[in-house]
Amino acid sequence: MTQSRFLRSARIAAAGLAMGVLVLTGCSATASKPAAGAENASAFLTIPREDMGTFIQNFNPFAPAVNPMVQQSIYESLLIFNPAKGDTVPWLATEWTSAADGKSVTFTLREGVKWSDGKPFVADDVAYTFELQKKIKGGFDYLEAVTAEGTNKVTFTFNKPWSPALYDVGQLTILPKHIWSALADPEKDANAKPVGTGPYTEVDNFQAQSFVLKKNPNYWQPEKQKIAGIKMLAFAGNDGANLAAANGDVDWAPQYIPNIEKTFISKDKEHRQYWFPATGSMINWQLNTTKAPFTDTAVRKALSMAVDRDQVTKIGMGGYAKPADCTGLSGNYETWKNPALKDNCTWTKRNVDEANKLLDQAGYPKGADGKRTLKDGKPFEFKISVGATSSDWLSVANVISQNLADVGVTAKVDSPDWAAVVAGYETGDFDSGIVWSANDPSPHKYFNTSMGTATVKPVGTKTFDNYHRFGDPKADALLAQFAAEADAGKQKDIAYKLQEEYNDVAPLVPLFSGPEWGAFNDTRFTGWPTEDNPYATLSVRAPTTVLVLTTLEPRK
Amino acid sequence: MRFILRRLGFYLIAFWASITLNFLLPRFMPGDPVSRMFARSTGRMQPEQIEALRKLLGVDDRPIWEQYVDYLHSIVTGQMGVSISRFPTPVTEVIASQIGWTLLLGGTALVIAAVVGNLLGILAAWRRGGAIDSALPPVLVFIGSFPYFWLAMGALYLFGVVLGWFPLRHAFTDGLEPGFTWEFISDAAAHLVLPALTIVLVSIGGWMLGMRNTMIATNAEDYITMAEAKGLRPGRIMFRYAARNAMLPSVTSFGMGLGFVVGGALLTEVVFAYPGVGYQLLNAVQGLDYPLMQGLFLTITAAVLLANFLVDILYVRLDPRVRSN
């Protein structure tokens, strides 16, 4: 680093002022350590966290704002689903079998796994974790019992046939019973020195602005701990994190970077890459189906047909997102898609003439001024609500609004604070909005929350998933069949039928598969996942993150 | 003494009014912390977990007056509860771990801006129409009218990225252990220069102009002419006779500024990734983290009132007119 004489004198002048802060922050006077050397072998994998201005030493996985890496590098799960490839990697469990009636699943645990304090990982830990999870955070309503058989087998029993459970229970991170059962208030403990089975568990040099996780001394695959540790940096927004990435100060850049070719890649083409697989959740334009005219399937399809998804993804999402098709499924479910349907979509492709025809037929006439009216003669007008801070989704809404003008429909973009927008969604007091959707390894949840009657609540009652309040009894029957089916092949057939039903009723207007942001700089570490080698995504908050942490190695 | 007691009574009422506002305002905002958290997680949180989370975080549906009584009680006893957005960390811990850096940054910038700004104002008024008086005010006003965010980003880019003179982020080099060592202190100082400098740049114009204008009025007073007629040294007249009397508004501003330092320089902390409470406050407001919001507001309110009280006492010494009132 170049340091001018000016800087040195400024340091001396400001040094006196800095004395005071040490007293205020309560730092003890300890000898300072030398910074990490330039050698890659001893370097820490440096990752920015863009939405935490400061860190708090709290590694409790039950905390609503979990510190980074708690569920990726400290604690591990039984299996890992990789959406980029559509495969499942056995992790703390080596295999699992579902019962023929679909009402239970048994996991065989890996031999020789130890907690970072040296105690063995046993079946009791798994059973205890679920007990604790249900008690503190709720959920898992279908789970009747978790029984440990011996030290290496665990059986999960359900109160109904429930195949989506496999990934639900399989991807929950497991905690050590011997530590957590000794705590008086497990949900309120800061867990400052976590004990886990993950590759990097040892918290070091914890500061509000950064912290380090060092190697777990008892990791079960020590040959894969090739990096010395992970260093997390705190940023109060994307700008700071992007500056760090552009400047080459971080190895991994999982945050959204605008105009990435120019701002990031062009600075060092040899070492920098990005990859935005379409494995995020489907982003939908959802219409409040308790309100006319959105109750009419023809209207929903016609409005969807008016939308130019290429323009939406290009202008709104910088060309990084992939337009949706009429299966409604995001890129996360590529292997589940019904090919017969996918290639013959009608209402998710722009067709202004067809949209106009549909609206005319449905009884929404176009007036002399080119504007359509509703059946009661009022103008065909409504609002699209989007939170003011999401500039990308705001431009998506603006594009839609312009597209709709072509069919004589007036859509006004309404952008108050997200809190107000979401409060409207929850109580059903909105016209339409741009909303994310459930993203699970199995498509059950997506269809259940987009058209299952079980998730529909009356207007005025708060709901947290089916904001558009659409329920279809036909879909219910298929969903029940899907959940009861343990055979993967037959499950796929049912999923195909669900997509056909979705195509018929158009519960939502799917827009595009959300991209999973991710970029890296391989100057110091190699072995990153890429489009050609999609063993994980480049997300740092996904279950697949641990796969990256155990694959990377220092450049020699 | 009676004056001070009367002021104290006034401050107590102001304190009560502001903590009541602190209590009411967040509760007028739509939604509650848990559904806010759910919405922000955009699909990563399960709807079934909402009830359990509500119970866990102690988000209650009790009547508002009952919550209010509890709130007053917690303030009197100093128990600020547990932060919701940073659950399960106690509010006091969240604030304590970061407020030091905020005070250092805000305090340094305030002191430098006030001292330098006032000195420049004194000099400018003393030599009216001179070089300082004609050149500096327009320049400083020009800089001060920039959007701060833009100015800070520009300074960071120029002095940090392009010239490489100053570090790009944080309060000290990551990996360094804080301690009373020369290495650490000089490192922290180097990290302080750029963020403090940008705050000084935008605020110094106000100090200078304020001081200059009161000084000009004071300079026209008879006692200045008298002092000059007596043949006193110009330096003595400038500081003891003119500046001392012209300083009163500046003292008030300084007191106000001191109180607001606690609130943090939000934008500075965001741009320079400086670990302070400013961003924490924004986060608390957005996440409807009542306990943390209340803790921070309480700290700010207390600091503002305390600073004002100190200024009041100082005024008793500086301005005899206050005493006779």
Side-chain angles (χ1 to χ4, degrees):
Chain A
M1 196 190 285
T2 47
Q3 283 186 345
S4 66
R5 196 178 297 164
F6 166 55
L7 171 57
R8 215 167 302 145
S9 52
R11 279 185 167 202
I12 297 167
L17 293 158
M19 296 290 285
V21 80
L22 291 170
V23 183
L24 291 158
T25 48
C27 293
S28 59
T30 48
S32 62
K33 271 195 308 208
E39 225 179 301
N40 297 338
S42 59
F44 297 135
L45 177 74
T46 307
I47 309 171
R49 171 77 183 211
E50 78 284 1
D51 64 348
M52 283 190 171
T54 48
F55 296 128
I56 301 280
Q57 189 157 3
N58 166 16
F59 290 92
N60 189 326
F62 297 111
V66 185
N67 259 355
M69 293 296 156
V70 170
Q71 283 148 337
Q72 284 75 26
S73 153
I74 295 175
Y75 299 110
E76 295 178 312
S77 56
L78 298 174
L79 55 82
I80 297 164
F81 173 75
N82 170 20
K85 210 164 154 186
D87 64 344
T88 306
V89 186
W91 207 245
L92 289 181
T94 48
E95 56 185 76
W96 47 89
T97 39
S98 298
D101 63 356
K103 287 179 82 170
S104 73
V105 57
T106 304
F107 288 87
T108 307
L109 304 184
R110 191 177 292 279
E111 295 289 336
V113 176
K114 279 187 181 150
W115 294 102
S116 53
D117 62 357
K119 297 250 166 58
F121 161 72
V122 291
D124 247 1
D125 292 323
V126 180
Y128 179 76
T129 300
F130 280 87
E131 192 185 306
L132 202 59
Q133 170 78 18
K134 271 188 95 164
K135 199 178 101 199
I136 296 178
K137 276 205 143 170
F140 298 99
D141 294 334
Y142 56 84
L143 200 57
E144 209 164 65
V146 186
T147 341
E149 293 154 36
T151 54
N152 74 332
K153 270 200 170 25
V154 191
T155 300
F156 294 82
T157 347
F158 319 131
N159 54 22
K160 60 185 169 188
W162 196 249
S163 66
L166 175 64
Y167 293 108
D168 216 14
V169 299
Q171 295 209 95
L172 188 78
T173 47
I174 308 299
L175 308 176
K177 182 180 181 183
H178 66 277
I179 304 278
W180 287 81
S181 60
L183 299 174
D185 265 332
E187 70 270 32
K188 289 191 180 155
D189 196 275
N191 193 28
K193 288 205 164 72
V195 171
T197 58
Y200 300 93
T201 52
E202 309 300 290
V203 182
D204 191 47
N205 193 4
F206 195 97
Q207 305 293 339
Q209 60 184 22
S210 71
F211 70 88
V212 169
L213 289 173
K214 286 189 165 164
K215 283 184 188 176
N216 171 355
N218 292 301
Y219 195 46
W220 54 280
Q221 33 184 9
E223 74 285 358
K224 292 191 167 178
Q225 290 172 297
K226 288 174 194 142
I227 41 182
I230 305 165
K231 187 198 271 180
M232 297 299 309
L233 306 183
F235 289 97
N238 278 4
D239 289 325
N242 290 345
L243 178 64
N247 212 40
D249 299 340
V250 295
D251 301 300
W252 195 343
Q255 76 280 8
Y256 170 70
I257 305 177
N259 201 358
I260 192 164
E261 285 286 356
K262 190 164 164 275
T263 51
F264 178 71
I265 303 290
S266 71
K267 300 235 158 70
D268 185 359
K269 282 198 172 128
E270 206 183 315
H271 291 295
R272 297 182 183 190
Q273 279 184 56
Y274 73 89
W275 178 41
F276 298 160
T279 53
S281 70
M282 177 57 71
I283 308 302
N284 302 303
W285 175 31
Q286 52 191 17
L287 310 168
N288 186 346
T289 61
T290 62
K291 280 189 182 176
F294 305 129
T295 39
D296 191 340
T297 311
V299 168
R300 294 198 297 273
K301 286 192 173 178
L303 293 180
S304 169
M305 247 183 241
V307 174
D308 186 344
R309 286 176 175 71
D310 290 328
Q311 212 178 358
V312 162
T313 50
K314 207 172 141 215
I315 296 175
M317 303 303 292
Y320 299 141
K322 207 175 138 212
D325 56 46
C326 57
T327 63
L329 295 175
S330 82
N332 189 25
Y333 309 103
E334 211 51 67
T335 53
W336 290 90
K337 284 189 181 176
N338 183 341
L341 203 63
K342 194 180 136 193
D343 302 332
N344 297 296
C345 285
T346 52
W347 57 278
T348 48
K349 289 213 170 86
R350 177 155 167 101
N351 189 337
V352 177
D353 295 340
E354 198 60 35
N356 272 319
K357 215 185 283 172
L358 254 177
L359 287 171
D360 289 340
Q361 280 167 5
Y364 300 93
K366 211 179 221 179
D369 59 349
K371 298 234 162 93
R372 289 186 185 276
T373 48
L374 296 179
K375 287 184 171 156
D376 56 6
K378 285 191 188 134
F380 198 139
E381 261 184 18
F382 57 88
K383 285 193 266 189
I384 307 178
S385 318
V386 191
T389 46
S390 302
S391 55
D392 46 354
W393 287 9
L394 258 180
S395 44
V396 166
N398 280 317
V399 170
I400 294 179
S401 162
Q402 283 167 23
N403 289 161
L404 292 182
D406 296 344
V407 294
V409 171
T410 311
K412 288 190 186 124
V413 179
D414 182 35
S415 55
D417 182 52
W418 260 122
V421 173
V422 172
Y425 292 165
E426 284 175 355
T427 51
D429 179 25
F430 73 106
D431 295 342
S432 75
I434 313 282
V435 186
W436 64 94
S437 59
N439 204 21
D440 246 15
S442 123
H444 182 273
K445 194 176 255 169
Y446 177 73
F447 287 121
N448 190 33
T449 53
S450 59
M451 54 184 189
T453 52
T455 55
V456 180
K457 300 255 169 66
V459 171
T461 307
K462 272 195 178 183
T463 185
F464 298 100
D465 33 35
N466 193 339
Y467 290 147
H468 55 295
R469 290 172 160 78
F470 185 87
D472 175 14
K474 269 198 217 160
D476 281 352
L478 288 168
L479 283 165
Q481 277 180 39
F482 184 99
E485 186 54 68
D487 180 76
K490 287 181 192 155
Q491 224 177 22
K492 202 170 244 180
D493 289 339
I494 306 168
Y496 282 7
K497 284 187 196 144
L498 273 166
Q499 292 166 55
E500 282 161 20
E501 183 61 17
Y502 185 95
N503 183 45
D504 282 345
V505 297
L508 294 159
V509 178
L511 294 173
F512 53 85
S513 293
E516 192 82 76
W517 310 120
F520 62 84
N521 178 344
D522 70 0
T523 318
R524 303 197 299 165
F525 301 97
T526 56
W528 297 89
T530 57
E531 197 165 358
D532 301 326
N533 180 20
Y535 69 87
T537 64
L538 278 171
S539 163
V540 293
R541 299 182 205 182
T544 56
T545 302
V546 69
L547 297 175
V548 182
L549 298 177
T550 49
T551 306
L552 292 180
E553 51 184 305
R555 185 181 280 279
K556 289 183 186 96
Chain B
M1 200 58 218
R2 255 191 65 206
F3 164 77
I4 288 176
L5 279 179
R6 210 167 57 224
R7 297 302 293 167
L8 260 180
F10 166 77
Y11 281 118
L12 273 179
I13 292 169
F15 185 71
W16 170 79
S18 58
I19 60 172
T20 302
L21 272 178
N22 288 348
F23 173 82
L24 289 175
L25 284 178
R27 284 172 177 78
F28 283 140
M29 289 159 77
D32 69 70
V34 179
S35 66
R36 195 67 72 93
M37 219 177 264
F38 177 77
R40 290 174 119 203
S41 82
T42 55
R44 283 195 299 272
M45 217 170 113
Q46 308 301 327
E48 305 91 66
Q49 297 176 344
I50 285 179
E51 266 323 299
L53 203 57
R54 237 183 218 136
K55 214 178 292 162
L56 172 67
L57 298 177
V59 177
D60 42 17
D61 297 323
R62 288 176 306 157
I64 201 137
W65 65 267
E66 230 176 89
Q67 292 183 42
Y68 182 62
V69 171
D70 251 26
Y71 165 75
L72 287 183
H73 182 255
S74 69
I75 283 183
V76 174
T77 54
Q79 279 170 352
M80 300 310 303
V82 171
S83 160
I84 290 176
S85 57
R86 288 308 185 83
F87 192 85
T89 317
V91 166
T92 41
E93 213 171 288
V94 176
I95 299 177
S97 71
Q98 296 155 13
I99 203 161
W101 294 111
T102 296
L103 294 180
L104 175 74
L105 173 61
T108 310
L110 176 69
V111 169
I112 293 177
V115 169
V116 177
N118 278 317
L119 278 178
L120 288 175
I122 293 170
L123 288 176
W126 197 249
R127 300 202 192 287
R128 243 181 118 180
I132 296 179
D133 191 32
S134 42
L136 263 185
V139 172
L140 290 179
V141 168
F142 181 65
I143 295 175
S145 60
F146 275 122
Y148 176 74
F149 199 72
W150 189 90
L151 185 83
M153 293 285 262
L156 183 63
Y157 182 73
L158 181 64
F159 297 109
V161 179
V162 178
L163 296 172
W165 289 357
F166 298 103
L168 298 181
R169 71 189 66 91
H170 291 167
F172 55 92
T173 306
D174 298 311
L176 216 58
E177 289 273 4
F180 284 100
T181 59
W182 173 246
E183 189 196 3
F184 177 76
I185 291 166
S186 64
D187 185 73
H191 280 76
L192 186 63
V193 176
L194 215 45
L197 188 73
T198 51
I199 304 181
V200 168
L201 268 183
V202 291
S203 57
I204 199 168
W207 291 106
M208 180 180 172
L209 281 182
M211 190 61 190
R212 173 186 172 273
N213 294 345
T214 13
M215 259 302 262
I216 286 171
T218 316
N219 283 349
E221 295 284 345
D222 290 342
Y223 61 83
I224 300 290
T225 324
M226 171 71 178
E228 278 169 346
K230 280 206 291 190
L232 292 177
R233 276 182 296 110
R236 188 180 162 87
I237 304 171
M238 180 164 73
F239 287 108
R240 289 286 177 80
Y241 284 65
R244 188 174 187 266
N245 286 300
M247 227 169 64
L248 289 175
S250 284
V251 171
T252 312
S253 309
F254 189 80
M256 302 280 279
L258 211 53
F260 285 111
V261 161
V262 182
L266 169 66
L267 289 175
T268 322
E269 288 174 12
V270 170
V271 172
F272 296 95
Y274 210 81
V277 294
Y279 178 70
Q280 204 60 260
L281 180 59
L282 178 73
N283 226 0
V285 172
Q286 283 175 344
L288 278 187
D289 184 349
Y290 302 136
L292 183 55
M293 240 189 288
Q294 280 159 3
L296 283 166
F297 282 146
L298 184 71
T299 317
I300 296 169
T301 310
V304 171
L305 291 179
L306 188 72
N308 271 293
F309 184 62
L310 291 179
V311 170
D312 269 346
I313 294 178
L314 198 64
Y315 253 62
V316 177
R317 262 202 66 72
L318 285 179
D319 188 355
R321 286 171 299 181
V322 177
R323 265 168 288 182
S324 62
N325 241 333

